[in-house]
Amino acid sequence: MTVEVLFFASLADSTGAPRDRIEIPDGADVAALWSRLVERYPALETTGFRPLVACDMEYAAWDASLDGVREVAFLPPVSGG
Amino acid sequence: MTVEVLFFASLADSTGAPRDRIEIPDGADVAALWSRLVERYPALETTGFRPLVACDMEYAAWDASLDGVREVAFLPPVSGG
Amino acid sequence: MVRIQREPIDGQALIEVVRTAGDGAVALFLGTVRDRNEGRTVLRLEYSAYEDMALQELERVRADALERYEITAAAAVHRLGVLEIGEASVAVAVAAPHRAAAFDACRFMIDTLKRTVPIWKKESFEGGEVWVEGERPADD
Amino acid sequence: MVRIQREPIDGQALIEVVRTAGDGAVALFLGTVRDRNEGRTVLRLEYSAYEDMALQELERVRADALERYEITAAAAVHRLGVLEIGEASVAVAVAAPHRAAAFDACRFMIDTLKRTVPIWKKESFEGGEVWVEGERPADD
């Protein structure tokens, strides 16, 4: 299956792009997707924090299944306000 | 000695006047002044609360001496804000 | 800045009075005239004051807030005269480097001034009017 | 009302959005750009967001406040783009019959949105720029 992946703030600086499209096996979870992304963008491993994850705009855990998920966003710790 | 007396809000309604000038004996305290005022304005006794007192714009106790005080104000419980 | 005035209160102007380049937080409180009180339909309120003392007590509240909290500036304005429903009778603004102090000081100021500043309100409702009796300084 | 916008924030307009005839209290909080942070002289901040989700999370904070506190209305606005020193990046306004709930809900909203709404700031200082890392939702 294919998911749309979004990167924000310093993570977008690390990847050099705000979005990508990734093919992953059925039943994959967030952690599996992240591993694929780190292969493609090694700079993601040096960010110094573990990103937050949102699946279709809802915060999700790293072991959340991606079945039926269209868009996965990786978010640095938020700093609005 | 002579003091200027001020009445506010419902107390001014009771006396029918916002101010008065009263002659009191040397060494009199606030309570003594109040007794003189109640003689002059009996309606003051029916206010249903004990007024706050300010001597020369500072809150004062009922047994505070009036020596050297120029202006005494009787204040209902405040309700600003 | 503290002020007792008969003109309408401008909250935005009060914010501009307090905020500086070193502040990350501004808290503003407005007290407004409600259309109901103790089950009665309120038509309007009329505020009066022992003006000279009210100004002095308001300044004392401001000075106390600056001493107690990590804030940069504070301001308070109280209005007198006849106020219609929805109008602001009082405003307190506080600027601070961080938000906790701004909130705490703003709340301290409105709580304190309601107990200590010699201002009174007369409430007009359907069928009459009444002086509202407030809290006493000795109550806390 | 909640909004993510690039235009300057108008605090007074936000007050008008929330207040009704039944309210005796309005609390407004403004977060503003400070000229210093962690010992550095800040030149400006740039805010960016995951906009659709940020709007949704902001609305969630508003709905939570309305459910938890005795308030009439609440509004929050966050600004994006480049902000100069002194400009407001965020505003929260709450109207309530009584002041305690207005203060509590306003504080709840700013505290919560800073942890949950996906917005980030990049700080420009003398000699460089850096993404500011904030608090994590799991921290509390």
Side-chain angles (χ1 to χ4, degrees), chain D residues 117-128:
Chain D
V117 177
I119 296 180
W120 301 271
K121 62 178 165 230
K122 187 192 275 182
E123 181 185 300
S124 294
F125 53 92
E126 307 264 7

Side-chain angles (χ1 to χ4, degrees), chain B residues 6 8-11 13 47-54 56-59 71-81, chain C residues 47 49-50 52-53 56-57 60 78 89-90 110 113-122 131-137:
Chain B
L6 305 180
F8 288 95
S10 60
L11 292 172
D13 290 350
T47 51
F49 55 82
R50 194 186 197 199
L52 304 169
V53 184
D56 289 336
M57 303 211 305
E58 295 290 342
Y59 285 113
E71 180 179 276
V72 180
F74 290 96
L75 318 172
V78 304
S79 58
Chain C
Y47 285 88
Y50 183 5
D52 290 346
M53 182 174 168
Q56 169 190 292
E57 291 296 319
R60 185 167 287 170
H78 204 296
S89 53
V90 63
I110 184 66
L113 78 82
K114 285 174 78 87
R115 286 200 321 274
T116 66
V117 177
I119 295 179
W120 300 271
K121 62 178 164 230
K122 186 191 276 181
W131 285 103
V132 178
E133 278 178 32
E135 307 156 59
R136 296 176 63 111

Side-chain angles (χ1 to χ4, degrees), chain D residues 5-121:
Chain D
Q5 66 183 36
R6 280 169 179 74
E7 301 72 38
I9 291 174
D10 181 342
Q12 188 65 37
L14 209 61
I15 289 172
E16 301 307 329
V17 164
V18 295
R19 78 171 163 191
T20 74
D23 295 312
V26 179
L28 173 72
F29 175 82
L30 295 178
T32 53
V33 180
R34 297 177 64 195
D35 60 3
R36 296 194 66 76
N37 187 33
E38 294 177 6
R40 293 188 294 264
T41 297
V42 177
L43 300 176
R44 70 193 68 83
L45 295 180
E46 180 169 3
Y47 285 88
S48 59
Y50 182 6
E51 274 197 62
D52 290 347
M53 183 173 167
L55 200 62
Q56 169 191 290
E57 291 295 320
L58 211 49
E59 174 55 34
R60 186 166 285 169
V61 172
R62 196 186 80 94
D64 281 357
L66 283 164
E67 194 173 306
R68 286 174 188 228
Y69 299 95
E70 295 286 325
I71 61 177
T72 314
V77 178
H78 204 295
R79 194 170 163 198
L80 300 182
V82 175
L83 273 73
E84 305 297 328
I85 304 303
E87 288 196 281
S89 54
V90 64
V92 174
V94 175
H98 302 290
R99 68 187 187 279
F103 274 116
D104 288 344
C106 190
R107 194 158 180 168
F108 166 81
M109 287 179 69
I110 184 66
D111 287 352
T112 306
L113 79 81
K114 285 174 79 87
R115 286 201 321 273
T116 66
V117 177
I119 296 180
W120 301 271
K121 62 178 165 230

Side-chain angles (χ1 to χ4, degrees), chain B residues 1 24-29 64-70:
Chain B
M1 61 192 187
I24 49 168
D26 284 359
D29 64 6
S65 164
L66 294 178
D67 284 353
V69 171
R70 198 186 58 80

